[in-house]
Structures are given as structure tokens and as C-alpha cells.
Amino acid sequence: MPEGPELHLASRFVNAACAGLVFGGAVETSRCSRGPAVPFESSAYRISASARGKELRLALRPLPGALPAREPLALVFRFGMTGSFRLAPRDALPAHAHLRFYTAPPGPRLALCFVDARRFGRWHLGGDWQPGRGPCVLLEYERFRENVLRNLAHKAFEQPICEALLDQRFFNGIGNYLRAEILHRLGIPPFEKARTVLEALQQRRPSPEQTLSQKIRAKLQSPDLLELCHSVPKEVVQLGGKGYGPESGEEDFAAFRAWLRCYGVPGMSSLRDRRGRTIWFQGESPARRNPRERSRGRSTGPRALSFQARPVPGHVGHGEALLSKVQPSSRRGPASSRTQKCPRPP
């Protein structure tokens, strides 16, 4: 699933791909889309994007003199499992292009497409971020940290830390591969109680006698969990790559695979958490806490489980893309009959 860094990279891609392009006409929705129609039409408008946590906002702004005269419109996207944006020729649209914005003549006829093979992605009209999501771990670090430490009495922190890290009310932008990498770097057992892990950070205060450079050096040498929730996603963004561009392939993920220390790495253990999501970690697995838990792969020890995710076709987030390379014999994941029958745009 695309996580905070992938949404941030997607916004960069949209801004770079659409720079200098003028769009025109109506916004098209595919016949099998699960999202609402977009009631926007203009003879000339521009598109820009911004991201916050696991959401991306697309802004459509008519140019001066464009007809019909109308106000700008914004849409907010959540990518689900396989959402992404692609720029393609108008006469060669990708499959599963559920929302399409066409360029205006003259010039090459192109389309910016929201592509989502599994159709778990969503968009809504208006520019408001989803209510209840916390500050972005990438772009709003100080507010993010304050929001977590101020709310440690919340019942969300009674969960294991690996589950609390996926709660977007507090960790907006953190997903499955990021939680594994963050906990692994600190050697924190994934099923340790979240409040136990985080309460110690309330007492952590830099000495007033430290200079600014000393404070920065201390953070870099021994970052805490909340600092890693900010710095680890930044590392992924800095890797860059073409994952959201018109070309994608094996080389796009080479740097990401080399960067990973835990998620999907041979020799690591994995278990499903209580919500059915897989957590990767080092060491032996704890006793199963849910009697319904089952191994999704072969056993690697008395209580250590091995897991391989099944990929879906097309570009996906870094983590799922990696696992599709780890297990090349399984090239397609489960898809509903409606997804399989969704017609290619004319």
C-alpha cells in the first residue's frame, strides 16, 4: 500500500509532469469507478498537487478568460492498495484509469490518469483533508510529536506498538513497511505495549546547557521512535526513483530494496497482527495472541512465521512492489470479477 513517502513522491510527479501543460474539457470518470463524478469543465485550466500523510490533494485552477467562468476545484485522494497517477497519450490510456484529465489543444493530446487496479482508492470533492487524521509525519513533525505525547492516555496506545503505528489519527503517513523499519532500527519488540514505549519520551528533554549543534548531533546519533517516524520516511523520499512516472521497472526499486533492513528481508520473521496485517521483525515470534491467527507461509522455526505477499499488476507502493520481486512466481494477486471486467477506456 502506498504510504506517506509514496504520496509525497506522487505529488512531486504530478507537479513535474503537469508543469507547462494546459488542460481543457470535462473530467472523465470510468464506467466501473467507485468514486464520484467530478463536475468540472473548463476550456483551459492547470493542475497542481500537494500531499499530507496518506492523502494527496489535486487542485484544478481555470486560467483567466477560460470558459465557462468558474471557481477552482480541489479533490483529495487516498490511494488504497494500488493507486497512482500516470501521464499517458490520450489514445493509449492505461488500464484501470478511473479518473482522466485531458490536455487542451494545440500540442500533444495527453491525459493525467488516476490508475487503480484494485479500486480501493478513493477521492472526494473539496480540498479538505479527511477529518480525524493527525499531523503529517513528514511535513508537520513538531505538531505530530506533540499530538502523540499529549494523547498517550488514549485507548489507541493500549495496543501493541506495531498496531498503534498504523493509527492515522496519530501517525499520519506511517504504513506497513515504515513501521517495520522504524521498530527494527530501535530494536523495539513489535508487540510491546505502545504506551510503555512512548511514555519514556515525555521525560526526554534536551539539556538547556546544550548548544544547537549539540542538540542536533544528539538527535542524529540516538534518535527516538517519534524522530524516526519523521526521518525514515524522509530517507525514502530522498531515494526518489521513477515509481510514479510513465516508465516503471525493476530498476525503480533497486535503491529501495538496498535501503530496506527488515521489511521483506530474508532471515526476518513475520506475523499477522490482530487486524490481519503483517509485521516484519528480527528474532523469534511471540506466542500467538489471536487464536484465529494462521501462518501465511512456511514455518521458519517453532514459533516464527514466514510470509510472502501476492502482488497485483501495475505499479504499487514501494513495499508491495518489493514483495512482487521477492516472489516472481506469483505475478498476479486476487482481483474481483468486476475489476477483471472493467473495460479499457476508448
Side-chain angles (χ1 to χ4, degrees), residues 106-271:
R109 303 306 302 276
L110 304 172
L112 179 69
C113 304
F114 178 66
V115 179
D116 185 11
R118 298 186 70 175
R119 295 187 296 154
F120 292 132
R122 295 288 184 269
W123 63 84
H124 67 261
L125 305 180
D128 295 333
W129 304 114
Q130 185 181 32
R133 285 183 178 262
C136 175
V137 297
L138 266 169
L139 303 178
E140 302 168 296
Y141 170 69
E142 294 299 335
R143 289 182 57 213
F144 151 70
R145 186 181 184 93
E146 179 186 1
N147 185 48
V148 172
L149 296 180
R150 186 180 65 243
N151 289 288
L152 287 183
H154 193 283
K155 63 181 181 180
F157 297 103
E158 296 173 6
Q159 304 178 90
I161 186 62
C162 67
E163 296 180 12
L165 282 172
L166 297 186
D167 192 326
Q168 300 302 293
R169 293 173 296 181
F170 303 105
F171 298 91
N172 188 10
I174 299 298
N176 214 19
Y177 80 77
L178 285 173
R179 69 170 175 172
E181 294 300 314
I182 291 165
L183 294 175
H184 175 72
R185 291 192 186 191
L186 293 172
I188 296 175
F191 293 99
E192 188 73 32
K193 188 176 180 179
R195 188 176 293 118
T196 302
V197 173
L198 294 166
E199 276 180 336
L201 304 187
Q202 291 179 314
Q203 310 303 322
R204 182 179 178 182
R205 296 286 186 273
S207 169
E209 299 178 358
Q210 285 183 313
T211 64
L212 179 60
S213 61
Q214 288 174 329
K215 293 177 183 178
I216 293 174
R217 188 180 306 113
K219 282 189 174 184
L220 293 175
Q221 290 175 345
S222 57
D224 63 35
L225 185 142
L226 297 181
E227 288 165 348
L228 286 184
C229 285
H230 172 65
S231 62
V232 172
K234 282 181 65 175
E235 291 177 17
V236 180
V237 171
Q238 290 165 359
L239 292 176
K242 306 176 188 176
Y244 282 93
E247 303 118 353
S248 61
E250 178 74 22
E251 69 279 2
D252 294 348
F253 306 103
F256 178 73
R257 285 198 306 275
W259 172 85
L260 286 170
R261 304 182 190 180
C262 179
Y263 184 85
V265 173
M268 294 295 168
S269 299
S270 62
L271 275 177

Side-chain angles (χ1 to χ4, degrees), residues 40-71:
F40 183 91
E41 184 170 0
S42 175
S43 59
Y45 66 96
R46 293 193 186 276
I47 294 178
S48 61
S50 58
R52 179 179 184 266
K54 286 191 177 184
E55 295 182 296
L56 181 146
R57 180 162 56 204
L58 211 62
L60 316 180
R61 296 186 173 88
L63 298 180
L67 297 174
R70 60 158 302 137
E71 293 296 314

Side-chain angles (χ1 to χ4, degrees), residues 87-98:
L87 189 68
R90 182 175 183 140
D91 58 358
L93 298 179
H96 310 292
H98 297 302

Side-chain angles (χ1 to χ4, degrees), residues 11-23 45-49 87 103 110 112:
S11 70
R12 283 188 180 181
F13 165 72
V14 170
N15 289 331
C18 296
L21 293 179
V22 175
F23 293 80
Y45 66 96
R46 293 193 186 276
I47 294 178
S48 61
L87 189 68
T103 56
L110 304 172
L112 179 69

Side-chain angles (χ1 to χ4, degrees), residues 306-345:
S306 176
F307 170 84
Q308 288 293 346
R310 298 186 67 190
V312 298
H315 171 70
V316 291
H318 276 133
E320 279 68 26
L322 167 76
L323 291 177
S324 71
K325 310 302 180 186
V326 171
Q327 192 180 25
S329 60
S330 178
R331 303 306 301 172
R332 295 184 66 88
S336 71
S337 58
R338 286 182 294 176
T339 299
Q340 293 168 338
K341 296 177 182 177
C342 181
R344 184 182 293 272

